Amino acid sequence: MDLPITRQGHSRYLSLRWKSLIALSLALVLVNASLALIANVQLANQFELQQGTVREQQARQLRALVEAGDQEMSKLASLVPLLGANEPPARDLQDQIAQSLDAHGALLDLEWDIRSVHWVLPDGTTSLSWPSDRPMLPDSLLGRLAQDPERTIDALICDSECRQYLATPLLWQGSFAGSLVLGRSLADALLNFHTLTGAEVAISWSDDGDVQPSPLEPQSPAYLQFPAITYPEETLPILRSAAAALAKTNAQGTPISLQHDAGWFEIFRIPSLVPGIDALIVNDISAQREAIRSATIGSVLLGIIGLILSEGLLLAIMKGPLYRLRDLASVLPLLAENRYADLRNRLPSRGKMWTPNDEIDLMTGTVRSLTDRMEDLQRDREQAEARLVWLANHDPLTQLFNRRRFNDEFKGILERAMRFQHQGALLFLDLDQFKDVNDLSGHQIGDTLLQRVADQLRLVSQPSDLIARLGGDEFALVLPEGSEDDARAAAETIQHAIHSILLQEKGRRHHASASIGIVMFPDQGTTIGQLMANADLAMYQAKEKGRGRWYMFCEEDQGKEELDARVQWREEIAQALELGRFELHFQPIIEVATGQLHHMEVLLRMCNAQGETIYPNRFIPVAERTGQIRAIDRWVIDNALATMQQHDNLRLSINLSASAMDDPLLLPDLRRLLLRYQIAPERIAFEVTETAAINSLANATRLMRGMQKLGCRFALDDFGSGYASYAYLRQLPVDDVKIDGAFIRDLARNSEDRIFVKAITDMVHGMGKCVIAEFVESTEILMILKGMGVDYAQGYLIGAPTPLTRAENLRNR
């Protein structure tokens, strides 16, 4: 079945294709808009540069046309008197000029655009004007002639129209006769300018000009009074539209662009064409603006076309990959269902064979590899789960049921026995002297023995029987239905089968045997705990008779109270370890010669639920029998080192149990704790009793040497209380010997004890070891020990075992 693609988080969904399309579109729009803007700015700048060149050229051309008019009139001024050379001789220069104008005046107007000719006498009087209807010369020009009559003067004067004047002084018969003033209209120059440039031009005057407002425009402001203008019907509306802008740029040459009707025009001022006269040039820039607009639109259209093509190409390119991604996403939920084969079959295929691999192919390959790996992990997990389920119910060494499964099965058997009122039997087996097998031949041989015992139990039991290994060398066999005779017969069969087991290793032969305790249910117990306790008691009763025996539980057995006490203490010890009811006490040990504190001995105490202090002699024997002693050893070492970490100058002596001699993990654990707490090994000494060391001589020697390699010291405690001898002392690599307190307590009154202590002290010193005396309870005993040369002493005279805070007070006294 197809699994839908779930979209978690946001409810809105947008395909990656459309996200990419939107992102690309925004990017291309931004790029195209930027390019179009840049192109438009560049075109506008280029147009402005071109127009600047055009404006400069037009200004030069207009000034050149005005100057050309002055130059033509300057040339004509000397020719006008000569035009009447064929006439009768004239009385004076004025008559000659008059004859010339009568004969050829029309030619001046037609050929050279001379509209007026005036003769001004040296006194400033105008004595001749041609044509006769021409107005008089402007007062401003006459004033200048009156000031300097013999100087050539040119002027551009505007009133109703703009005219160019040139006053040229002439000589007659060797003397100054007057000034010939030629006048022409500026309109012809403006028309020539229009013909040459295509631009319109209007003449205006500045504020300091000697001009009067145009009578044609009496209501116009000064900047809109144009005495001369080309094509006023078209030009005047444009100038009026620019009236506000022209007012601001009256004295500047800044160009003005404006739109009028359907066209665009540029107006710029040529200031001081002549003093007091400005010119306004109007250029039609509609074509250039249209070209810029067309180029910009073309750029935008080209960008839009490119955008559309890019989007289409992107959609075409991403269609296949995105479909593959969608297909890949749709099959990934199959991983959660462990449908690995279906997922592999439905993985999207790669692209065309001729195309190189891409990220989707890499992802697909990764998903395929992940699927294979998860399938392997799932298979391993299922196997591990099956193995864990099996291990949860079985003992991995013997393949028998473990204690947990045994309790579950036995509970059902017991309930059925009570319900249907039939009898069954529980046989509790404990191998005899199994510890010797491990100590002498190693744990591998011990494991082999346990496996052989399990095999024999399978052989002699029935399919309906329940067999289990409860831990260590303890086994249990339950006969769901059986009488006491059946139980005895089963015990005999088991004894015979186990006794047949023989193991040989390195010349050693191990015959197996077991002690069996039998209890009947439900007569002798209705709970598993009660039945197991009774069977345990019966098993110990069997051991009391010797190896390879069985014993049927009896309610009147005197050992039951002892067993109950042992079970109770086992629970107390377990709770003390779990709830932290153990605590350390510290007893000071001084250097006899100086009386200074040398180190302290760590002593263990237990607090019960009522807060009472319990001494080790009550719970240590039980802990040794139940196997809890190793956990106690670890607790003592761990907490002692933690205390030393908090007190830098503290030196401690730590007691070890007898089982520590056979603990192969003690040295590695000690090495780890030293590294953890960063304790110098020289600050630590370990003690073990003489009896424990002799009972496991080889292991004790190995442990002592291992601890000395770490840098720790080792002391032999209670020396002289057992069967130690000089030979044993030589074999044990101890650093200190602690004399048993029984020889110290009566030292002041018993001469034999003094002889024994002196002999031990001299012997130990002779071996290069130190002597420690315990149970020093009087000053007299301490002085005797000092006279004997004993190195260290401890006892109630020096200080009783107390918590560390009180021991520190004793230390500081």
Side-chain angles (χ1 to χ4, degrees):
M1 108 181 137
D2 293 336
L3 296 175
I5 302 175
T6 60
R7 306 183 182 111
Q8 299 177 352
H10 298 289
S11 59
R12 291 176 294 180
Y13 172 79
L14 186 62
S15 172
L16 182 62
R17 176 170 56 172
W18 296 113
K19 290 181 180 179
S20 302
L21 184 65
I22 292 173
L24 176 65
S25 300
L26 292 175
L28 290 178
V29 166
L30 181 61
V31 170
N32 290 333
S34 300
L35 292 176
L37 179 62
I38 292 171
N40 182 268
V41 171
Q42 289 178 342
L43 289 174
N45 292 337
Q46 183 178 2
F47 169 70
E48 183 60 31
L49 290 175
Q50 293 175 350
Q51 285 299 109
T53 303
V54 169
R55 287 192 292 271
E56 292 178 0
Q57 183 178 1
Q58 289 178 343
R60 288 196 302 270
Q61 289 173 337
L62 183 59
R63 292 183 187 276
L65 288 173
V66 174
E67 291 175 1
D70 291 339
Q71 291 175 1
E72 288 181 357
M73 288 190 296
S74 177
K75 294 176 182 179
L76 289 174
S78 59
L79 294 178
V80 170
L82 300 179
L83 292 177
N86 296 326
E87 300 296 330
R91 291 178 291 111
D92 53 20
L93 185 56
Q94 179 176 341
D95 291 339
Q96 188 172 345
I97 291 172
Q99 292 176 3
S100 297
L101 291 175
D102 290 340
H104 304 288
L107 182 62
L108 290 175
D109 188 7
L110 293 176
E111 294 293 335
W112 291 288
D113 195 28
I114 301 300
R115 302 295 178 87
S116 64
V117 179
H118 299 273
W119 176 250
V120 181
L121 298 176
D123 59 1
T125 304
T126 302
S127 60
L128 176 64
S129 294
W130 180 88
S132 58
D133 57 349
R134 285 296 176 183
M136 298 299 292
L137 290 175
D139 294 337
S140 59
L141 179 59
L142 292 176
R144 293 173 62 186
L145 286 174
Q147 294 176 0
D148 194 359
E150 296 184 12
R151 179 174 174 271
T152 301
I153 297 174
D154 60 70
L156 177 62
I157 299 175
C158 296
D159 45 24
S160 60
E161 62 176 346
C162 287
R163 295 181 300 280
Q164 288 179 273
Y165 293 97
L166 180 66
T168 305
L170 298 178
L171 298 178
W172 177 259
Q173 296 179 356
S175 61
F176 174 65
S179 297
L180 182 64
V181 180
L182 302 181
R184 64 184 299 176
S185 175
L186 188 61
D188 292 334
L190 298 183
L191 292 175
N192 290 336
F193 176 81
H194 174 75
T195 302
L196 182 63
T197 63
E200 307 296 338
V201 61
I203 301 299
S204 65
W205 52 80
S206 57
D207 294 341
D208 56 351
D210 297 332
V211 294
Q212 301 295 325
S214 171
L216 300 177
E217 304 268 352
Q219 304 300 323
S220 299
Y223 55 84
L224 289 181
Q225 295 175 4
F226 309 112
I229 185 170
T230 58
Y231 301 99
E233 296 83 1
E234 299 176 359
T235 308
L236 275 176
I238 297 173
L239 294 175
R240 288 170 181 162
S241 298
L246 286 173
K248 296 178 182 179
T249 61
N250 190 36
Q252 301 175 2
T254 305
I256 300 170
S257 295
L258 76 157
Q259 185 178 15
H260 181 73
D261 292 338
W264 280 88
F265 299 91
E266 182 187 76
I267 304 172
F268 74 96
R269 182 186 299 276
I270 302 176
S272 300
L273 185 63
V274 295
I277 302 297
D278 294 344
L280 296 176
I281 307 299
V282 180
N283 284 304
D284 188 350
I285 58 172
S286 300
Q288 291 88 333
R289 292 290 296 248
E290 181 62 27
I292 293 174
R293 189 180 73 86
S294 299
T296 303
I297 293 175
S299 177
V300 172
L301 289 177
L302 184 62
I304 293 174
I305 293 173
L307 174 63
I308 294 173
L309 292 177
S310 299
E311 290 174 342
L313 182 61
L314 178 65
L315 291 175
I317 292 175
M318 294 189 67
K319 179 179 179 181
L322 289 178
Y323 281 169
R324 294 171 63 199
L325 276 178
R326 185 188 63 185
D327 295 341
L328 182 61
S330 66
V331 301
L332 284 178
L334 295 176
L335 285 175
E337 300 181 3
N338 301 331
R339 296 168 55 188
Y340 305 112
D342 292 343
L343 189 147
R344 277 192 292 268
N345 294 332
R346 295 176 56 180
L347 281 176
S349 59
R350 70 179 302 272
K352 304 293 184 182
M353 296 302 297
W354 49 268
T355 59
N357 289 341
D358 54 21
E359 288 80 359
I360 300 178
D361 296 310
L362 177 62
M363 186 182 298
T364 302
T366 303
V367 171
R368 182 176 284 106
S369 300
L370 179 62
T371 302
D372 297 339
R373 178 61 178 159
M374 291 189 66
E375 186 174 21
D376 294 339
L377 291 175
Q378 176 68 19
R379 188 181 300 111
D380 294 342
R381 183 168 60 252
E382 290 175 354
Q383 293 175 355
E385 289 175 353
R387 177 65 177 169
L388 288 174
V389 170
W390 188 89
L391 289 175
N393 296 313
H394 294 80
D395 170 50
L397 179 63
T398 62
Q399 315 297 311
L400 298 177
F401 283 152
N402 58 17
R403 183 182 291 272
R404 190 190 71 82
R405 181 63 180 273
F406 171 79
N407 289 336
D408 292 342
E409 296 291 332
F410 190 21
K411 181 180 179 181
I413 293 173
L414 183 59
E415 289 176 351
R416 287 192 293 273
M418 295 172 63
R419 179 179 180 183
F420 297 106
Q421 297 296 313
H422 58 72
Q423 194 176 43
L426 167 63
L427 283 70
F428 180 70
L429 292 76
D430 185 88
L431 300 183
D432 298 322
Q433 297 181 339
F434 179 72
K435 182 176 179 296
D436 294 341
V437 178
N438 283 334
D439 293 342
L440 297 175
S441 299
H443 290 277
Q444 185 175 2
I445 298 301
D447 291 345
T448 302
L449 177 59
L450 293 174
Q451 291 172 340
R452 297 280 296 275
V453 170
D455 294 339
Q456 292 298 323
L457 289 176
R458 291 190 190 93
L459 290 175
V460 302
S461 62
Q462 299 297 322
S464 59
D465 296 342
L466 175 62
I467 313 173
R469 180 190 175 197
L470 303 181
D473 59 344
E474 296 178 345
F475 294 85
L477 172 65
V478 176
L479 306 179
E481 297 184 12
S483 62
E484 292 184 3
D485 293 338
D486 295 333
R488 294 188 186 96
E492 292 288 349
T493 303
I494 292 172
Q495 292 282 17
H496 180 74
I498 293 177
H499 188 69
S500 66
I501 299 174
L502 174 63
L503 296 178
Q504 294 186 1
E505 177 66 20
K506 297 180 181 180
R508 296 188 180 91
R509 296 164 59 89
H510 298 287
H511 278 285
S513 65
S515 298
I516 303 176
I518 305 172
V519 62
M520 305 303 295
F521 60 85
D523 297 339
Q524 296 175 340
T526 57
T527 64
I528 295 177
Q530 184 181 8
L531 290 171
M532 290 299 298
N534 292 338
D536 191 24
L537 176 60
M539 183 270 297
Y540 278 107
Q541 294 281 12
K543 281 188 180 292
E544 294 292 331
K545 296 180 180 181
R547 297 179 56 188
R549 302 297 183 93
W550 59 266
Y551 186 82
M552 180 73 71
F553 175 77
C554 180
E555 292 287 350
E556 290 75 20
D557 286 335
Q558 296 179 356
K560 189 172 185 302
E561 293 182 0
E562 178 185 349
L563 174 63
D564 290 340
R566 183 160 62 87
V567 172
Q568 179 182 356
W569 275 113
R570 181 165 53 187
E571 294 298 325
E572 286 283 347
I573 293 170
Q575 290 185 13
L577 288 169
E578 181 180 356
L579 303 177
R581 290 180 182 169
F582 283 118
E583 63 179 27
L584 298 180
H585 285 205
F586 301 85
Q587 186 174 27
I589 300 175
I590 64 169
E591 190 174 1
V592 175
T594 63
Q596 298 295 318
L597 177 67
H598 185 266
H599 64 282
M600 293 187 181
E601 181 180 2
V602 178
L603 300 170
L604 183 64
R605 302 289 186 265
M606 179 197 289
C607 293
N608 61 16
Q610 290 75 34
E612 301 171 343
T613 300
I614 303 173
Y615 290 87
N617 61 329
R618 298 185 63 188
F619 60 84
I620 289 297
V622 178
E624 289 177 341
R625 295 192 63 184
T626 60
Q628 295 170 302
I629 190 63
R630 291 190 177 183
I632 293 177
D633 282 337
R634 294 296 193 282
W635 188 94
V636 171
I637 295 174
D638 194 342
N639 284 270
L641 295 186
T643 303
M644 296 178 73
Q645 185 186 43
Q646 299 172 2
H647 300 79
D648 295 337
N649 299 323
L650 185 62
R651 301 170 62 91
L652 295 180
S653 179
I654 303 172
N655 289 285
L656 294 177
S657 67
S659 67
M661 304 300 103
D662 305 324
D663 188 352
L665 300 179
L666 182 59
L667 277 175
D669 289 347
L670 177 59
R671 188 180 297 109
R672 176 179 56 81
L673 290 173
L674 288 173
L675 291 175
R676 174 183 173 186
Y677 291 110
Q678 296 295 306
I679 302 298
E682 296 79 10
R683 297 168 56 192
I684 307 172
F686 289 95
E687 296 183 14
V688 65
T689 63
E690 170 199 0
T691 304
I694 300 304
N695 287 341
S696 185
L697 189 61
N699 290 338
T701 303
R702 175 189 57 79
L703 179 63
M704 292 177 185
R705 295 191 185 280
M707 289 188 171
Q708 288 172 342
K709 285 182 181 179
L710 292 177
C712 303
R713 297 180 63 84
F714 215 100
L716 190 64
D717 195 11
D718 295 341
F719 187 79
S721 61
Y723 41 81
S725 67
Y726 176 75
Y728 282 128
L729 191 58
R730 289 185 59 190
Q731 294 182 45
L732 294 172
V734 298
D735 300 288
D736 305 314
V737 174
K738 182 178 285 189
I739 302 175
D740 187 82
F743 301 103
I744 305 296
R745 187 179 292 111
D746 295 327
L747 194 64
R749 298 184 299 272
N750 192 320
S751 58
E752 294 179 358
D753 288 345
R754 288 197 296 272
I755 295 172
F756 181 78
V757 171
K758 177 62 175 174
I760 292 177
T761 302
D762 293 342
M763 178 182 66
V764 172
H765 283 169
M767 295 180 179
K769 308 178 190 301
C770 295
V771 178
I772 304 173
E774 56 183 357
F775 284 90
V776 178
E777 299 178 351
S778 68
T779 305
E780 185 179 2
I781 294 175
L782 181 62
M783 297 307 296
I784 295 173
L785 293 174
K786 185 175 182 180
M788 292 180 178
V790 172
D791 301 286
Y792 305 104
Q794 72 181 110
Y796 276 55
L797 173 66
I798 299 163
T802 61
L804 184 61
T805 53
R806 283 188 247 169
E808 283 286 309
N809 294 333
L810 291 173
R811 176 183 179 182
N812 296 328
R813 286 192 305 185

